[in-house]
Amino acid sequence: MNRRIFLKNTSLASLSAILIGSHPDVFGQYSQPLQNSTVYLIKDAEILTMDKSLGHLPKASILIENGIIKKIGPDLIAPSGAKVIDAKNAVVMPGLIDSHWHLWTSIMRSMPGYTKDQGYFPMSVKYSRLMSTADMKTISKYSLAEAINSGITSLSDFNHNTRSYEHAKAGIDAFAEMGIRGQFLYGDHRDMTDSDPTNFEDIKKLLALVKEEKYNKIKVDLGSRSVKYPKLREDWAAARKLGMRIVIHASSQVHKSEGEIEKLYLLGLLDNDVNIIHGNAISKEEAAYVARAGSSITMTPYSEMRVGYGFPPIKTLKEHHILTGVGIDTVALSGDGNLFSTLKLLKNVGNATTNDEFYMNPYELLEMATINGAKILGIDDITGSLSIGKQADLIMMRKDDLNFSSNSQTERLLIEAATPANVDLVMVGGKILKEHGKLTNQDADQLLKQAQELAEKIQKQVEAQ
């Protein structure tokens, strides 16, 4: 298959359709009636708080002031000037938290082919070299729009295309402009060698940048280089000195990358500030190391299974009580940013690999994408559950949609039936980012146009190689 025919089969040839997706009104006329308020009362909702002290409330209201949850309970009275959101026959829960996504690779949605030279890794090298600073910002905003539409309110972006300070800043600016809460992970880039040091001067500049008010929903942490990097210990020491959390891909592929987590343990690097991505090849001994250190593991089952890494190690992680999260990883492999379907897949894989219909509990799966994700990102003091004093990061889902109705067992519906189309409202820090099923970002139409232009530009550049 020549390059031109291959490109016709990639996302680049039809990016506009992907942006619009199966719900063309997502980017349509945005509405503003609930915008610019500092006080909201979400009234008469079924509330899944994910706060074990509050539990699951069949009918209650949430009072939000200046982005903070002030009260949760029945029969709350709206203060003067408050905007009231009628949540009858709707479920309100914490916004979903994705603890691993490479946003910049979304330009390659469903791109990998069926030969080695058309696989995800060689093709991502080619694409990464073509991404300018402006391109990085455009594609990151495009990715974040999909995340918001899917009910994701916090996201960890492992940016492994930080070719310059400006490339990294573009990713952070995308978070700020889209209004979503984020962990920006400063990674390497595809052309770095072991002799190239990690650029901690740029990292320090980024840490200073996010102290500005416009970046108050964003934190910068380290997207670590691989276990094979000879100066890994020095990098982690430097990051920890700066107060950064650390994320690393390790023991990802069964029958190929066994022992990588053990190496981290032997180097004395594992701690409660470490999130390990994938871990499909983890052994029981390594799981014990991770559990003892208080480290976490994030599973991205759609990409892991698609690329041939193996099945998520659910049984091992569960037996060792390891803090686990979930992520999209890259839509180049997963196809979309639907975290609900990711949880459903994990449930089915867990039950199938243990031959136990009842192995995976819906509530523990929801924890992975809410409070667990917040703990992994180090933001559980401000989000991850609907608790008094936390930020109002939440989603509302109407229970009168055909696919999301009739069953009163809400946790089961969320895992087995919910889709992004059921997400009626998304709020981050008291700001509404999706309302009545539509994104409220006023730049949505312009973003669509920019993404289309970027697709055409990248396609021409790749064809010219």
Side-chain angles (χ1 to χ4, degrees):
M1 184 184 296
N2 64 39
R3 183 180 287 114
R4 184 177 298 275
I5 294 173
F6 168 71
L7 282 166
K8 288 180 180 178
N9 293 325
T10 71
S11 65
L12 297 181
S14 57
L15 186 57
S16 61
I18 290 164
L19 271 166
I20 296 172
S22 58
H23 305 284
D25 59 345
V26 163
F27 281 89
Q29 293 297 315
Y30 53 87
S31 53
Q32 293 280 4
L34 297 178
Q35 298 299 301
N36 303 318
S37 178
T38 59
V39 184
Y40 295 98
L41 182 68
I42 301 177
K43 189 172 178 61
D44 297 334
E46 177 185 355
I47 303 176
L48 186 61
T49 69
M50 303 308 295
D51 179 331
K52 290 184 177 179
S53 67
L54 294 175
H56 188 166
L57 308 176
K59 184 178 180 181
S61 300
I62 305 174
L63 178 63
I64 299 162
E65 296 181 3
N66 298 315
I68 304 296
I69 298 173
K70 291 294 185 179
K71 295 180 181 179
I72 301 176
D75 305 319
L76 296 184
I77 304 300
S80 177
K83 297 292 184 181
V84 177
I85 300 174
D86 183 358
K88 290 178 183 176
N89 200 33
V91 177
V92 175
M93 64 175 287
L96 302 180
I97 298 178
D98 181 296
S99 49
H100 186 65
W101 196 329
H102 301 290
L103 292 180
W104 75 269
T105 64
S106 294
I107 193 68
M108 301 181 290
R109 186 189 303 269
S110 300
M111 168 275 298
Y114 298 94
T115 60
K116 287 186 177 180
D117 63 321
Q118 294 173 3
Y120 169 70
F121 292 103
M123 289 305 296
S124 64
V125 171
K126 294 179 181 180
Y127 280 68
S128 69
R129 293 168 179 164
L130 300 173
M131 301 290 284
S132 69
T133 298
D135 296 339
M136 291 290 286
K137 184 175 178 180
T138 296
I139 202 62
S140 292
K141 289 178 69 175
Y142 157 68
S143 304
L144 292 171
E146 180 175 10
I148 294 165
N149 184 58
S150 301
I152 295 169
T153 57
S154 298
L155 186 148
S156 178
D157 175 23
F158 194 123
N159 191 316
H160 51 7
N161 199 29
T162 54
R163 295 179 176 273
S164 68
Y165 169 80
E166 288 73 22
H167 276 74
K169 182 178 181 295
I172 292 174
D173 284 338
F175 272 100
E177 292 181 21
M178 296 301 291
I180 189 171
R181 199 176 304 282
Q183 178 191 45
F184 180 88
L185 296 171
Y186 184 97
D188 50 10
H189 60 78
R190 299 300 197 184
D191 294 316
M192 290 184 75
T193 67
D194 285 349
S195 62
D196 296 317
T198 303
N199 193 333
F200 275 94
E201 291 307 309
D202 279 359
I203 288 173
K204 291 175 183 177
K205 288 170 64 177
L206 294 170
L207 288 168
L209 176 73
V210 296
K211 291 180 180 179
E212 297 179 16
E213 178 62 24
K214 67 180 289 188
Y215 301 109
N216 64 2
K217 293 185 180 73
I218 306 155
K219 63 199 299 282
V220 174
D221 290 316
L222 181 67
S224 176
R225 298 167 75 164
S226 77
V227 175
K228 297 177 182 178
Y229 180 57
K231 295 185 178 180
L232 197 67
R233 182 182 285 167
E234 292 89 334
D235 269 17
W236 287 32
R240 284 169 167 155
K241 188 174 181 180
L242 293 170
M244 303 173 75
R245 302 180 73 83
I246 298 163
V247 179
I248 186 169
H249 299 79
S251 295
S252 301
Q253 187 171 359
V254 175
H255 302 315
K256 190 170 183 180
S257 56
E258 281 84 355
E260 291 184 346
I261 292 175
E262 182 179 28
K263 183 175 180 180
L264 295 175
Y265 167 74
L266 294 174
L267 288 171
L269 294 177
L270 295 179
D271 210 329
N272 62 8
D273 58 354
V274 176
N275 182 27
I276 298 168
I277 307 301
H278 305 315
N280 300 71
I282 192 171
S283 66
K284 290 185 177 180
E285 291 76 17
E286 289 175 315
Y289 300 149
V290 172
R292 199 153 52 235
S295 303
S296 59
I297 291 183
T298 291
M299 296 176 287
T300 65
Y302 273 112
S303 66
E304 292 161 0
M305 295 169 69
R306 168 67 176 83
V307 83
Y309 277 0
F311 287 102
I314 297 173
K315 186 172 185 289
T316 300
L317 302 185
K318 188 172 177 177
E319 285 178 346
H320 289 83
H321 306 287
I322 292 172
L323 178 66
T324 54
V326 292
I328 297 301
D329 192 5
T330 171
V331 299
L333 295 169
S334 70
D336 63 20
N338 184 348
L339 214 52
F340 291 110
S341 68
T342 302
L343 295 174
K344 181 177 181 178
L345 177 63
L346 278 174
K347 179 180 188 294
N348 292 343
V349 168
N351 289 0
T353 54
T354 59
N355 302 116
D356 183 351
E357 177 186 356
F358 312 107
Y359 188 72
M360 297 301 294
N361 182 286
Y363 189 85
E364 68 181 333
L365 288 158
L366 290 170
E367 283 186 315
M368 293 180 191
T370 54
I371 191 62
N372 284 11
K375 291 175 181 177
I376 289 169
L377 272 59
I379 55 175
D380 54 302
D381 58 331
I382 59 175
T383 192
S385 64
L386 300 182
S387 309
I388 295 171
K390 285 193 176 184
Q391 292 279 321
D393 294 1
L394 55 84
I395 59 176
M396 182 171 75
M397 306 178 71
R398 297 286 181 186
K399 291 188 74 175
D400 51 10
D401 290 340
L402 284 173
N403 71 301
F404 195 65
S405 61
S406 77
N407 192 325
S408 61
Q409 303 299 317
T410 300
E411 288 95 338
R412 301 175 199 173
L413 275 176
L414 288 166
I415 295 300
E416 298 182 346
T419 74
N422 302 126
V423 180
D424 185 76
L425 180 140
V426 175
M427 179 181 285
V428 179
K431 301 293 183 183
I432 294 176
L433 304 184
K434 183 180 182 181
E435 180 187 359
H436 304 316
K438 296 181 174 67
L439 300 180
T440 61
N441 189 320
Q442 296 185 37
D443 295 325
D445 291 337
Q446 181 64 19
L447 174 59
L448 177 59
K449 181 174 181 292
Q450 290 172 347
Q452 289 173 319
E453 292 172 351
L454 173 58
E456 293 172 3
K457 182 186 76 169
I458 296 285
Q459 178 172 331
K460 290 178 181 177
Q461 291 175 332
V462 173
E463 286 181 328
Q465 289 182 350

